[in-house]
């Protein structure tokens, strides 16, 4: 049962007992009033009958004194008493109106009748006295008959008073008993009322004041030490305690919200620090391989439990190719067309499931009965598409809000900028290390590549071959046909050299019409065959030039193999000496360095 219901029942019972107590008090008061009225009635009747008895005796005394003395003064007094007695009789006639009963009135009437008889005899005696017959008068007033009549009159008055006393005493006793009964009932009801009020007050104080205050005090102490798991009690009634409970509840809700915001702020700060550290590592990456390792290491920490892939866009084939992956994604292909992804088409984040239903990408293994929640983020920089960041969202990730998706956007933006910076750096390096005319590596890059290949050949115990190639009569051809034709010759030779090796970066433009080719791990015979193949391919090149017919080309090649022909440090000078000998012997030929001559050099 609710506290308010119990309190209302208690209030109702208290009011009812109060009404009962008031009623009993009224009844007790009425009984006391009736007792007082009975006593007053007895007083009035006693006074009336007492006056009657006194007057009877006074009249007898006056009449006897007059008879004995003959003094007219006594006669005057008698007449005066008779006149007064008439008024007393008149009052006695109305005794019934004062509450006398019928039997009491009968006894009183007999007393009055005897008084009247005595009065007649008194008149007779007084008349005899006035006639001078004193003996007759004395005989009448002092005779035994007169005494008997006087005693009978007194007896009737006494009888009336006894009946009256008996009735009044009985009535007073009844009224007193009723009054005491109602008084006791009133006292009992008042005691019950007071007890109930005390119980209600104690119950209300304990349940509505003491208990809530104790619980609120405990909650306040826990909230003071940032223990927001403490929940304040529910106080439904509207009073000071209810207001205090509401204030504490609001304080707790504000504290929980503040704590949640602090957790979000700390998580956001941690996430941004992690993103910043990842960005710094990506900016410090020198190669695409380093960048892939950074992405593979950091993304599972930034977005845990989300498998995914990093795709890079091949500008020539327009295919999106997997660069690296983490946590084993299974829904997306490792390679697909750029048009297969809606994120790459639109240049915006794309999520086919989640809060808003959308069109799934073609590169995702989509099942309409069990759709997968995926997230595709295009990697953009300077309005150019560089690749794709792909995530597979678990089923419980549907509640990721816009604030969390911002981290995905920041992640994609940072990776896109890092890839763009790396590509720009590679482009600048290629521009610095490559010949702009032929596209081959230039002499500046030769030193770094040669040092690396020499170290590897020494470590592996394998030979390293070098071909020095010179276009025959190039200066004369350039003077006759112009620089544009000469540039076309150089570009054609560069294409041949780039296609005859497994590693195009081992072909260099050494200067002017001279080229250099490194052939690691080839024997002298294999290197000579490769040199002859190059000479034959270049010989088949036909170029149309202004002002003349297409003509063939020829080259002179000098071959040196370290450590057979010379030391590794003398590889290029030895191959250059062999080239000079080929040109001296008539050009359009391949000359292999001699051990003796290479050593002499």
């Amino acid at each position: 049962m609710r506290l308010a219901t119990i309190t209302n029942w208690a209030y109702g019972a208290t009011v009812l007992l109060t009404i009962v107590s008031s009623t009993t008090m009224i009844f007790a008061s009425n009984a006391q009033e009736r007792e007082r009225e009975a006593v007053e009635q007895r007083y009035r009747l006693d006074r009336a009958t007492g006056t009657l008895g006194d007057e009877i005796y006074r009249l007898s005394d006056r009449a006897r004194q007059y008879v004995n003395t003959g003094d007219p003064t006594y006669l005057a007094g008698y007449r005066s008493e008779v006149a007064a007695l008439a008024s007393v009789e008149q009052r006695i006639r109305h005794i019934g109106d004062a509450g006398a009963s019928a039997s009491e009135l009968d006894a009183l009437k007999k007393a009055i009748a005897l008084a009247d008889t005595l009065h007649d005899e008194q008149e007779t005696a007084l008349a005899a006295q006035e006639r001078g017959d004193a003996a007759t008068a004395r005989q009448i007033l002092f005779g035994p008959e007169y005494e008997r009549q006087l005693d009978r009159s007194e007896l009737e008055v006494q009888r009336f008073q006894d009946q009256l006393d008996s009735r009044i005493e009985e009535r007073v006793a009844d009224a007193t008993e009723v009054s005491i009964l109602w008084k006791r009932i009133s006292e009992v009801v008042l005691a019950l009322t007071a007890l109930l009020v005390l119980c209600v007050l104690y119950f209300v104080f304990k349940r509505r004041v003491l208990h809530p205050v104790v619980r609120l005090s405990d909650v306040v102490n826990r909230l003071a030490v940032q223990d927001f798991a403490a929940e304040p009690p529910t106080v439904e009634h509207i009073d000071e305690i209810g207001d205090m409970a509401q204030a504490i509840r609001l304080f707790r809700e504000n504290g929980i919200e503040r704590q949640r915001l602090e957790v979000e702020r700390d998580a956001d700060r941690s996430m941004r620090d992690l993103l910043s550290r990842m960005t710094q590592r990506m900016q410090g990456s020198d190669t695409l391989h380093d960048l892939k390792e950074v992405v593979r290491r950091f993304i599972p920490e930034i977005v845990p439990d989300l498998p995914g892939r990093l795709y890079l866009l091949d500008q020539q084939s327009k295919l999106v190719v997997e660069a690296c992956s983490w946590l084993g994604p299974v829904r997306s292909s490792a390679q697909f067309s750029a048009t297969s992804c809606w994120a790459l088409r639109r240049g915006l984040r794309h999520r086919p499931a989640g809060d808003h239903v959308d069109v799934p990408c073609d590169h995702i293994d989509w099942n309409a009965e069990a759709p997968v929640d995926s997230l595709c983020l295009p990697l953009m920089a300077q309005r150019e598409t560089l690749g794709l960041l792909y995530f597979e969202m678990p089923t419980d990730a549907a509640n990721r809000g816009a604030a969390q998706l911002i981290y995905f956007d920041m992640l994609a933006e940072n990776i896109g900028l890092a890839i763009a910076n790396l590509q720009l750096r590679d482009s600048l390096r290629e521009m610095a290390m490559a010949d702009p005319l032929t596209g081959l590596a230039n002499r500046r890059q030769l030193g770094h590549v040669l040092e690396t290949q020499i170290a590897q050949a020494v470590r592996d115990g394998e030979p390293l071959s070098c071909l020095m190639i010179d276009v025959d009569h190039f200066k004369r051809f350039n003077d006759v046909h112009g620089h544009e034709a000469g540039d076309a010759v150089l570009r054609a030779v560069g294409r041949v050299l780039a296609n005859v090796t497994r590693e195009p970066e081992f072909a260099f433009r050494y200067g002017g019409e001279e080229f250099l080719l490194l052939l690691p791990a080839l024997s002298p015979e294999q290197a000579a065959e490769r040199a002859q193949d190059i000479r034959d391919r270049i010989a088949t090149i036909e170029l149309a030039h202004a002002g003349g017919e297409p003509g063939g080309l020829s080259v002179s090649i000098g071959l040196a193999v370290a450590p057979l022909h010379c030391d590794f440090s003398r590889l290029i000078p030895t191959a250059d000496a062999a080239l000079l000998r080929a040109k001296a012997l008539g050009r359009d030929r391949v000359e292999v360095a001699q051990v003796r001559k290479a050593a002499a050099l």
Side-chain angles (χ1 to χ4, degrees), residues 154-200:
E154 181 181 1
L155 181 62
E156 292 297 332
V157 171
Q158 187 63 38
R159 180 183 175 189
F160 169 77
Q161 288 180 346
D162 291 341
Q163 291 181 1
L164 180 63
D165 290 342
S166 177
R167 183 177 63 81
I168 294 301
E169 287 178 0
E170 182 179 355
R171 182 178 177 185
V172 168
D174 293 341
T176 301
E177 184 178 354
V178 172
S179 175
I180 292 174
L181 177 62
W182 284 116
K183 184 178 180 181
R184 290 179 179 176
I185 294 174
S186 175
E187 290 173 351
V188 171
V189 174
L190 282 176
L192 291 176
T193 304
L195 180 62
L196 182 60
V197 169
L198 291 177
C199 292
V200 170

Side-chain angles (χ1 to χ4, degrees), residues 566-583:
C566 63
D567 187 67
F568 285 103
S569 61
R570 299 289 299 170
L571 181 61
I572 293 179
T574 301
D576 189 46
L579 173 62
L580 292 176
R581 189 169 59 254
K583 292 171 68 175

Side-chain angles (χ1 to χ4, degrees), residues 21 156 174 191 252 280 372 447 452 457 488 499 538:
S21 175
E156 292 297 332
D174 293 341
R252 174 177 176 270
Q280 292 176 357
V372 61
T452 303
N499 292 326
I538 293 176

Side-chain angles (χ1 to χ4, degrees), residues 354-376:
D355 297 334
H356 304 284
V357 178
D358 209 331
V359 180
C361 298
D362 293 337
H363 64 90
I364 297 177
D365 184 12
W366 184 263
N367 186 353
E369 296 181 356
V372 61
D373 189 6
S374 62
L375 179 64
C376 296

Side-chain angles (χ1 to χ4, degrees), residues 12 96 153 169 176 192 201 277 283 312 316 340 405 413 476:
S153 175
E169 287 178 0
T176 301
L192 291 176
L201 290 177
R277 191 161 62 252
Q283 295 299 332
L312 295 180
Q316 295 182 352
S340 299
L405 292 178
E413 182 180 358
R476 184 176 61 188

Side-chain angles (χ1 to χ4, degrees), residues 88-256:
V88 172
E89 291 176 353
Q90 186 67 28
R91 286 197 305 269
I92 290 176
R93 292 190 182 95
H94 298 285
I95 286 178
D97 297 336
S101 63
S103 61
E104 294 170 353
L105 291 177
D106 289 341
L108 187 59
K109 288 179 180 180
K110 290 180 179 180
I112 292 173
L114 293 174
D116 290 340
T117 302
L118 291 175
H119 177 66
D120 292 339
E121 290 182 0
Q122 290 169 3
E123 288 293 337
T124 302
L126 291 176
Q129 180 67 25
E130 288 177 354
R131 289 194 306 271
D133 190 359
T136 302
R138 286 189 185 92
Q139 185 179 2
I140 294 173
L141 293 178
F142 294 98
E145 184 64 26
Y146 185 86
E147 290 293 338
R148 285 195 298 272
Q149 292 293 336
L150 183 61
D151 291 338
R152 289 180 58 192
S153 175
E154 181 181 1
L155 181 62
E156 292 297 332
V157 171
Q158 187 63 38
R159 180 183 175 189
F160 169 77
Q161 288 180 346
D162 291 341
Q163 291 181 1
L164 180 63
D165 290 342
S166 177
R167 183 177 63 81
I168 294 301
E169 287 178 0
E170 182 179 355
R171 182 178 177 185
V172 168
D174 293 341
T176 301
E177 184 178 354
V178 172
S179 175
I180 292 174
L181 177 62
W182 284 116
K183 184 178 180 181
R184 290 179 179 176
I185 294 174
S186 175
E187 290 173 351
V188 171
V189 174
L190 282 176
L192 291 176
T193 304
L195 180 62
L196 182 60
V197 169
L198 291 177
C199 292
V200 170
L201 290 177
Y202 173 76
F203 180 78
V204 171
F205 176 77
K206 184 176 180 181
R207 294 294 301 274
R208 296 190 62 168
V209 178
L210 186 60
H211 284 183
V213 168
V214 171
R215 295 180 62 185
L216 289 176
S217 176
D218 179 66
V219 171
V220 169
N221 291 331
R222 294 177 62 183
L223 293 179
V225 294
Q226 305 297 314
D227 181 11
F228 294 107
E231 186 173 356
T234 301
V235 181
E236 298 180 353
H237 50 273
I238 301 175
D239 54 11
E240 291 78 2
I241 296 178
D243 295 340
M244 183 167 59
Q246 181 66 19
I248 294 175
R249 186 176 295 106
L250 292 177
F251 177 79
R252 174 177 176 270
E253 292 176 356
N254 293 334
I256 293 175

Side-chain angles (χ1 to χ4, degrees), residues 466-503:
C466 176
L467 300 179
M468 290 293 293
I469 304 169
D470 182 81
V471 180
D472 295 334
H473 307 296
F474 179 75
K475 186 175 183 305
R476 184 176 61 188
F477 182 86
N478 200 38
D479 292 340
V480 173
H481 300 289
H483 292 288
E484 292 184 1
D487 292 341
V489 169
L490 296 178
R491 283 194 292 270
V493 173
R495 284 193 295 270
V496 172
L497 296 180
N499 292 326
V500 296
T501 60
R502 293 190 303 269
E503 295 82 5

Side-chain angles (χ1 to χ4, degrees), residues 264-511:
E264 290 183 357
R265 182 192 62 191
D266 294 341
D268 181 73
R269 184 186 298 111
S270 176
M271 182 66 69
R272 291 181 183 274
D273 291 343
L274 194 58
L275 285 171
S276 176
R277 191 161 62 252
M278 177 182 176
T279 302
Q280 292 176 357
R281 303 301 182 271
M282 289 191 298
Q283 295 299 332
S285 300
D286 292 330
T287 63
L288 185 60
H289 174 74
D290 294 339
L291 187 142
K292 293 176 184 177
E293 291 300 320
V294 172
V295 171
R296 184 185 292 111
R297 174 66 182 84
F298 275 86
I299 287 186
E301 299 294 331
I302 296 175
V303 282
D305 303 329
L306 296 185
R309 284 191 175 99
L310 172 65
Y311 294 94
L312 295 180
L313 178 63
D314 187 349
Q315 296 293 343
Q316 295 182 352
S317 62
K318 297 300 179 182
L319 292 178
V320 181
V321 183
E322 177 185 343
C324 66
S325 63
W326 52 91
L327 302 180
V330 296
R331 295 289 186 173
S332 179
S333 304
Q335 177 178 313
F336 53 88
S337 172
T339 59
S340 299
C341 180
W342 282 96
L344 296 179
R345 287 188 189 183
R346 300 165 54 235
L348 298 172
R349 180 179 66 228
H350 186 74
R351 187 178 181 185
D355 297 334
H356 304 284
V357 178
D358 209 331
V359 180
C361 298
D362 293 337
H363 64 90
I364 297 177
D365 184 12
W366 184 263
N367 186 353
E369 296 181 356
V372 61
D373 189 6
S374 62
L375 179 64
C376 296
L377 300 163
L379 304 179
M380 309 284 292
Q382 301 297 325
R383 299 182 181 179
E384 181 181 358
T385 302
L386 304 176
L388 178 70
L389 192 60
Y390 166 78
F391 292 98
E392 292 180 357
M393 314 287 282
T395 55
D396 58 349
N399 58 351
R400 292 183 182 269
Q404 292 180 309
L405 292 178
I406 291 178
Y407 297 134
F408 289 95
D409 294 336
M410 294 174 61
L411 186 62
E413 182 180 358
N414 292 340
I415 294 177
L417 290 176
I419 294 175
N421 292 337
L422 188 60
Q423 291 180 351
L424 178 60
R425 189 185 310 167
D426 292 341
S427 299
L428 294 176
R429 184 183 294 112
E430 290 178 0
M431 292 176 62
M433 298 295 182
D435 177 57
L437 180 62
T438 62
L440 301 178
N442 58 18
R443 193 167 182 174
R444 183 182 302 170
Q445 190 175 1
L446 175 61
H448 174 70
V449 175
L450 180 61
E451 181 181 356
T452 303
Q453 293 303 314
I454 290 175
Q456 183 175 353
V458 172
R459 183 175 61 254
D460 298 338
E462 295 180 346
L464 177 63
S465 302
C466 176
L467 300 179
M468 290 293 293
I469 304 169
D470 182 81
V471 180
D472 295 334
H473 307 296
F474 179 75
K475 186 175 183 305
R476 184 176 61 188
F477 182 86
N478 200 38
D479 292 340
V480 173
H481 300 289
H483 292 288
E484 292 184 1
D487 292 341
V489 169
L490 296 178
R491 283 194 292 270
V493 173
R495 284 193 295 270
V496 172
L497 296 180
N499 292 326
V500 296
T501 60
R502 293 190 303 269
E503 295 82 5
E505 62 270 15
F506 290 165
F508 304 89
R509 184 182 179 188
Y510 195 70

